[in-house]
Amino acid sequence: MHYDASGKGIGISSLWRDVTKRKYTIQVLVLVGVVVLFSVLINIASDSLQKQNIASGFGFLAREAAFEIGETLTSYSAESTFGEALLAGLLNTMLVALLGNFLAVIWGAVVGITSLSHNLLLARLARIYVDTLRNIPLLLQLFFWYALITEFLPAIRDALNPVPNVYLSQRGMFFPMPEWGATHGWALVALLVGGIAAIFLYRWQKLRQQHTGQLFPFYRVAAALLLVPPLLAWLIGGAPVELDVPVLQGFNFEGGLALTPEFLALSLGLVLYTGSFNAEIVRAGIESVKKGQKEAAVSLGLSRSQALRLVVLPQAVRVIIPPMTSQMLNLTKNSSLAVAIGYPDLVNVANTSMNQTGQAIECIVIIVFVYLSFSLMTSAFMNWYNHMTRLVER
Amino acid sequence: MRIFIAVAALVFAAMSITAYAGKTLDAIKKRGRVRCGVSNGLPGFSSPDSKGKWKGLDVDVCRAFAAAVFGDSKKIDVVGLSAQQRFTALQSGEVDVLTRNTTHTLSRDTALGLNFAPVNYYDGQGFLVRKALGVKNARGLNGASICVIQGTTNERNLSDYFRKHKMKYKPVVMENNNELFKAFMAGRCDVFSTDASGLAAQRSKTKKPSELVILPDIISKEPLAPAVRHGDDEWLDIVKWTVYAMIAAEEMGITSRNVKRMKKSSDPDVQRLLGVIKGNGKAIGLTETWAYNIIKQVGNYGESFERNVGKNTPLKLARGLNGLWTTGKNGLMYAPPLK
Ligand SMILES: N[C@@H](CCC(=O)N[C@@H](CS)C(=O)NCC(=O)O)C(=O)O
């Protein structure tokens, strides 16, 4: 064995003897082991699939699917391919995940803050809600909401009509949608411009406050920035009010925007269930900030709401975000329970595809790949966030 | 997590399948029971009675396998499978055979790595609607919401039929037959669509069957047949000839009641079937009384049909395509010579 001046081993054996090098050696060995194991497994599997005469490979993705999907965000039809079918399922999963998480976070914050409220009745109610919903299996909750919508809302011909052109029935909710035109496009552009202006305004007023101490009524001005430009664009465009309204034609409502019972039950179930976990996270986050912080802020002359907004919440958020992120991931994964109530998410469409093609392993690989990417993306975000918010010592 | 387990099970199964090839019968004998995958609860075809005992046309076929192999029709394990689960359950060796209203199609026979026995029920896909809907035939269904079970031929037939007739529909697809039927009964769908026999079975489960009608249109061919894994010819032979033996017995007028007497028949065909003239048993790798045991304990095809789905059952199905070819009507049941 040779050692160099610093005492580090040289030569091949140092890969094992040298502590720092050994770390990497082990990792590389494990990686190689895993890759070899997997390729052996895959080889054996595909070999015996062949002997069994079971089709394999991803060629089926380009073949015609020849089955319909209840609701899609794309222009999918039975003539599309299996690949397009799975994409439509993926987009449905993402729609539920994005919308569900957005609402579950807001709902969780509302309930979490309420459970700390000085109003004892409200606080109690919030706690009961959290304790109940967290302890009932999500699948049962989904069946409950689905049954509630399909069994207790009126039949389509007797649909409730609470507001003109809005219908509520066991087939779902139907809303009018503005007939899309160029003016709407311009209004959208105006909204975007207003938003960007608001971001700059935020930076500017923050800097000014730091330098001069002057406060700026940011929220009110920002609201105006977001509302007025689109409204102006719409007015200049001649204030078009044509609506695409749902009308009962034959068996179902046509036109407008339709939210199916499957979508409604799934979203409602996921939001209320995950919201109860989020509420606990928010409550724990706020409670984790020492009382002295708030008292100090108040004694410095901040109002109660200022103390909450400027002193307590920024510290709570640091505690809240990591578990909240994993709840977001949970909601996304739980959305695969959609199969049970017939919402065509990725898993649902993949299930149909695997039975039409017989390629179960391939379809499951796709599902695993998608959910694994969601997980990896989430943990990448978490790492980045932890890095950003770590306490900087000055 | 569930997903990871599923992958592991599949990959593992895929690897262990080779060990099974040609060995299904050995495994069955070692276990002492035949394991059949059936549908989860379709009255008349396979459903547990009040004592939890499985009954039905498809269960009878399973009992016939046990009678053939063990001389005892009770030696069965019945595994309820959804349409979605059935093929992986068979491929992975969880069951020895599917006797589960499974349609024989080219892709299942080839790409799914299955082999099919003779048809034990000739069916076709139909539509079940509420009488109050006032629809008279399938052409009146443009724009309807249709409940259909996941992983079936029915999913694809629907899309083919509506495409062909340039009509539209909205599918509601679930794996669980009962949840789906509940949604249909609640009014989520205008139509419930599957094999006509399945529609009759579902309707028989409702409180007021007369409020539901099965439309006259049949939009597909659904030859329902037992299926086994590709690559085990020995077991496939047994499955095949078990079904044929039940049909042949009906052709020859042998029933569970007269089978003992029929042993004394002077007809050589009857004698061969019942093992009086030896040879068939040895050729198929079973005892010479294999077919006798089937007929004695389970009955011939006609008996099984009438007992489970026939005129005097809640399903009230006519023999139709499932009658014997010899009746001069449109019956398709026909067994090759058992000699
Ligand atoms: N024959 C069709 C349909 C089979 C099927 O699943 N039928 C339904 C109704 S006939 C069924 O058995 N449901 C009972 C269950 O899912 O357990 C196929 O092979 O794909």
Side-chain angles (χ1 to χ4, degrees):
Chain A
M1 179 89 266
H2 304 281
Y3 290 92
D4 68 3
S6 65
K8 291 203 164 160
I10 35 180
I12 296 283
S13 65
S14 73
L15 286 179
W16 187 251
R17 301 252 175 132
D18 182 323
V19 181
T20 36
K21 284 189 190 161
R22 179 155 70 203
K23 270 201 320 213
Y24 291 105
T25 315
I26 293 178
Q27 293 203 9
V28 168
L29 284 181
V30 169
L31 188 70
V32 170
V34 167
V35 169
V36 168
L37 186 72
F38 264 87
S39 39
V40 168
L41 284 182
I42 288 172
N43 252 325
I44 298 177
S46 74
D47 213 50
S48 61
L49 286 182
Q50 217 149 39
K51 276 194 197 124
Q52 271 279 289
N53 218 22
I54 297 176
S56 58
F58 286 91
F60 74 97
L61 290 177
R63 287 208 307 269
E64 187 188 89
F67 63 87
E68 286 290 348
I69 300 180
E71 50 190 301
T72 57
L73 299 171
T74 59
S75 59
Y76 174 88
S77 81
E79 273 127 290
S80 310
T81 62
F82 280 106
E84 287 167 292
L86 290 166
L87 178 69
L90 175 64
L91 290 177
N92 280 344
T93 292
M94 285 166 70
L95 174 68
V96 167
L98 288 177
L99 187 80
N101 274 317
F102 177 71
L103 296 175
V105 167
I106 294 179
W107 180 235
V110 169
V111 176
I113 292 174
T114 309
S115 71
L116 292 171
S117 149
H118 290 295
N119 181 331
L120 278 184
L121 178 69
L122 278 182
R124 218 40 261 137
L125 280 177
R127 292 238 38 96
I128 292 175
Y129 161 78
V130 168
D131 286 340
T132 327
L133 280 245
R134 274 204 312 176
N135 289 309
I136 299 175
L138 176 57
L139 187 60
L140 287 186
Q141 299 193 28
L142 293 183
F143 280 138
F144 173 79
W145 294 118
Y146 192 62
L148 201 72
I149 296 171
T150 53
E151 310 255 358
F152 292 102
L153 287 181
I156 193 126
R157 258 155 263 277
D158 315 313
L160 299 176
N161 191 193
V163 193
N165 291 327
V166 173
Y167 299 92
L168 200 61
S169 85
Q170 57 180 187
R171 298 278 171 89
M173 289 172 86
F174 304 86
F175 301 95
M177 282 286 277
E179 202 94 63
W180 191 261
T183 309
H184 296 93
W186 286 115
L188 208 65
V189 172
L191 180 72
L192 219 67
V193 173
I196 293 170
I199 293 174
F200 278 108
L201 181 70
Y202 180 78
R203 296 225 171 128
W204 170 79
Q205 61 95 23
K206 192 97 184 175
L207 271 178
R208 193 181 72 148
Q209 193 194 341
Q210 274 165 13
H211 286 122
T212 66
Q214 273 174 297
L215 288 177
F216 184 84
F218 171 71
Y219 291 103
R220 259 168 274 169
V221 179
L225 271 179
L226 288 180
L227 285 178
V228 175
L231 202 68
L232 273 180
W234 179 67
L235 285 174
I236 292 169
V241 289
E242 288 87 23
L243 286 179
D244 178 16
V245 294
V247 271
L248 189 58
Q249 255 169 30
F251 295 100
N252 285 310
F253 280 101
E254 302 283 340
L257 173 74
L259 301 182
T260 64
E262 293 78 29
F263 176 79
L264 287 172
L266 182 66
S267 311
L268 198 64
L270 286 172
V271 168
L272 293 182
Y273 178 75
T274 317
S276 67
F277 287 88
N278 289 348
E280 276 298 86
I281 292 169
V282 168
R283 185 184 63 84
I286 293 176
E287 285 186 331
S288 77
V289 181
K290 295 226 168 59
K291 233 164 104 192
Q293 293 281 330
K294 192 164 127 201
E295 287 165 1
V298 173
S299 66
L300 281 176
L302 297 188
S303 74
R304 273 181 79 116
S305 79
Q306 277 176 327
L308 187 70
R309 218 178 59 227
L310 299 174
V311 177
V312 179
L313 279 184
Q315 299 184 67
V317 161
R318 199 194 299 270
V319 179
I320 288 173
I321 298 276
M324 192 75 107
T325 322
S326 81
Q327 280 306 323
M328 290 176 144
L329 191 60
N330 274 351
L331 185 145
T332 309
K333 287 192 284 194
N334 284 338
S335 72
S336 65
L337 289 173
V339 191
I341 53 170
Y343 178 71
D345 77 326
L346 175 69
V347 176
N348 196 340
V349 174
N351 277 353
T352 292
S353 308
M354 73 175 80
N355 247 32
Q356 300 297 354
T357 60
Q359 300 193 258
I361 294 184
E362 288 80 354
C363 287
I364 286 178
V365 165
I366 291 174
I367 295 175
V368 169
F369 178 77
V370 166
Y371 283 90
L372 198 63
S373 334
F374 284 149
S375 297
L376 290 179
M377 270 162 6
T378 311
S379 59
F381 167 80
M382 285 294 312
N383 287 341
W384 171 81
Y385 180 83
N386 281 336
H387 185 76
M388 289 297 291
T389 58
R390 72 188 191 286
L391 288 175
V392 186
E393 316 232 336
R394 280 187 263 227
Chain B
M1 199 55 214
R2 275 179 314 145
I3 287 164
F4 287 94
I5 294 172
V7 182
L10 265 168
V11 173
F12 187 74
M15 293 188 305
S16 53
I17 278 169
T18 21
Y20 269 92
K23 296 281 183 290
T24 312
L25 186 60
D26 292 348
I28 292 172
K29 283 187 174 152
K30 218 164 120 202
R31 198 189 306 128
R33 302 179 89 78
V34 183
R35 199 171 280 164
C36 302
V38 303
S39 69
N40 264 320
L42 205 59
F45 287 85
S46 58
S47 69
D49 66 10
S50 53
K51 291 189 203 82
K53 204 168 149 232
W54 286 83
K55 290 227 162 103
L57 190 77
D58 284 341
V59 178
D60 274 357
V61 181
C62 183
R63 290 172 58 225
F65 298 144
V69 175
F70 297 115
D72 180 356
S73 69
K74 290 200 207 65
K75 296 202 165 154
I76 55 168
D77 286 331
V78 172
V79 183
L81 297 169
S82 73
Q84 170 63 26
Q85 297 162 332
R86 60 187 155 172
F87 298 124
T88 20
L90 180 63
Q91 288 164 348
S92 67
E94 190 187 334
V95 296
D96 303 315
V97 53
L98 288 179
T99 55
R100 192 206 175 284
N101 47 29
T102 295
T103 304
H104 185 173
T105 69
L106 182 140
S107 62
R108 289 173 177 179
D109 208 338
T110 55
L112 265 76
L114 308 182
N115 272 334
F116 283 88
V119 173
N120 77 322
Y121 191 95
Y122 287 96
D123 210 342
Q125 182 171 345
F127 299 100
L128 183 71
V129 298
R130 272 170 286 275
K131 207 172 243 168
L133 196 64
V135 174
K136 289 285 166 286
N137 56 42
R139 301 303 290 277
L141 291 177
N142 194 7
S145 293
I146 304 186
C147 281
V148 60
I149 305 166
Q150 183 162 63
T152 57
T153 44
N154 309 138
E155 257 188 293
R156 190 169 259 185
N157 294 336
L158 267 189
S159 126
D160 288 354
Y161 178 82
F162 279 76
R163 213 203 288 187
K164 180 162 123 198
H165 294 289
K166 301 204 166 49
M167 308 197 308
K168 282 198 161 57
Y169 73 104
K170 286 262 174 223
V172 177
V173 183
M174 288 185 208
E175 180 186 344
N176 187 309
N177 185 31
N178 293 333
E179 291 298 333
L180 186 69
F181 197 70
K182 224 160 60 187
F184 163 70
M185 289 304 284
R188 172 63 186 97
C189 304
D190 302 295
V191 187
F192 187 92
S193 181
T194 185
D195 304 346
S197 67
L199 296 179
Q202 295 283 13
R203 184 170 63 170
S204 76
K205 282 202 280 194
T206 61
K207 283 200 203 80
K208 289 197 188 127
S210 61
E211 284 177 2
L212 299 172
V213 282
I214 298 174
L215 299 183
D217 314 66
I218 294 294
I219 64 165
S220 71
K221 292 194 285 188
E222 309 287 333
L224 309 181
V228 296
R229 284 181 292 278
H230 182 101
D232 190 343
D233 291 357
E234 190 189 9
W235 177 232
L236 175 63
D237 282 345
I238 294 174
V239 169
K240 243 160 87 176
W241 288 98
T242 299
V243 176
Y244 282 144
M246 291 176 73
I247 298 170
E250 188 181 9
E251 287 175 354
M252 299 177 200
I254 313 174
T255 66
S256 56
R257 248 174 273 130
N258 70 11
V259 65
K260 212 162 176 183
R261 231 178 322 121
M262 288 299 260
K263 267 186 155 175
K264 302 203 181 72
S265 159
S266 57
D267 181 346
D269 274 342
V270 173
Q271 290 187 0
R272 267 187 214 101
L273 180 64
L274 300 182
V276 179
I277 299 178
K278 302 211 180 334
N280 279 355
K282 182 162 172 24
I284 201 171
L286 298 170
T287 60
E288 294 296 339
T289 52
W290 67 282
Y292 175 87
N293 291 334
I294 296 174
I295 302 163
K296 178 87 188 126
Q297 299 178 21
V298 184
N300 69 31
Y301 179 76
E303 288 179 274
S304 173
F305 189 100
E306 290 307 336
R307 178 169 66 226
N308 294 303
V309 299
K311 281 273 169 290
N312 299 321
T313 67
L315 269 71
K316 297 190 181 55
L317 295 174
R319 284 296 288 270
L321 292 177
N322 297 296
L324 289 183
W325 63 287
T326 47
T327 56
K329 304 205 186 101
N330 56 358
L332 293 175
M333 287 296 166
Y334 177 111
L338 277 91
K339 50 175 69 153

